[in-house]
Amino acid sequence: MLEILKSIDLICQKHSIKYWRDAGTLLGAVRHNSFMPWDDDLDICMTRPEYEKFMAVCSEELPDNIFLMIL
């Protein structure tokens, strides 16, 4: 999960996309200085305009071992 978060962070920094960690991901960062050991997902939030910027660049920017699946 850390590698995924690092990849997302790099993309967001490169394209000036604002996001924040939320829910368990934020709680883990504050309480455990990492992830909560039992948490198995990432909680990342963006406003709609930031999300649209992210979606416009992520397919080109994500590393080959990470893919975005929209359901």
Side-chain angles (χ1 to χ4, degrees):
M1 288 191 321
L2 182 58
E3 292 305 315
I4 294 169
L5 186 56
K6 285 180 180 180
S7 295
I8 291 170
D9 184 63
L10 285 173
I11 294 168
C12 289
Q13 286 185 44
K14 180 178 178 181
H15 296 279
S16 300
I17 298 170
K18 296 176 186 166
Y19 76 96
W20 62 93
R21 292 174 282 179
D22 200 29
T25 303
L26 177 60
L27 182 60
V30 173
R31 190 191 307 173
H32 298 276
N33 222 15
S34 183
F35 296 99
M36 291 188 291
W38 56 87
D39 199 7
D40 61 354
D41 66 345
L42 293 171
D43 304 298
I44 300 170
C45 295
M46 300 174 187
T47 62
R48 174 56 78 170
E50 298 298 306
Y51 168 79
E52 289 172 359
K53 286 173 26 180
F54 181 78
M55 293 304 290
V57 298
C58 74
S59 62
E60 305 256 336
E61 298 281 344
L62 285 172
D64 291 339
N65 63 331
I66 300 173
F67 67 94
L68 177 66
M69 184 170 72
I70 302 171
L71 301 173

